[in-house]
Amino acid sequence: MIIAAEVDDDALSNACGHFAEPQFSVTIVAPKAWRARGLSPVPTTIVLSGVGRDHLSDQRPHALASESWKLWLRFRDDPAAKGAVEQADVIIALDETAIYTGWRLAKRLPTCIVSTSAATARGEFDAHAGAA
């Protein structure tokens, strides 16, 4: 599962590319303002209500914290997102606004791989699968 507030198509395509094999199902959780275009494989998208923002790194830390908290609240209250979490083996917080949501989920799901990098998450997944 990939969580994002705002992300460009290249970053999302890159993240999906790490899990492009047939045995993986990619679910994207994002605000209403976000739309994926031209991704392969085509992931399932869960759209959260509310508006995301661009360029949060250019804002004050308080604004980023506020947007991160709002994303967590939207995520926490969305039944489809909760269902996706229950089925996820890997959760990727793809942008800085999604990191707080990823952190909260990592605390709740200690056996789930939670990362800010798709490449790192895939490596951890492969290592875990190889050890099993």
Side-chain angles (χ1 to χ4, degrees), residues 13-24:
S13 293
N14 183 24
C16 287
H18 289 284
F19 294 93
E21 297 166 25
Q23 73 266 28
F24 294 111

Side-chain angles (χ1 to χ4, degrees), residues 75-130:
F75 183 88
R76 182 192 68 184
D77 295 337
D78 187 275
K82 288 180 192 176
V85 165
E86 291 172 7
Q87 297 178 7
D89 294 314
V90 177
I91 297 172
I92 302 165
L94 198 55
D95 61 19
E96 59 188 358
T97 306
I99 290 173
Y100 180 71
T101 298
W103 176 78
R104 294 289 298 246
L105 293 172
K107 288 179 63 173
R108 291 180 181 200
L109 306 164
T111 60
C112 189
I113 297 168
V114 181
S115 180
T116 57
S117 162
T120 302
R122 178 60 197 258
E124 289 181 41
F125 180 83
D126 290 344
H128 180 69

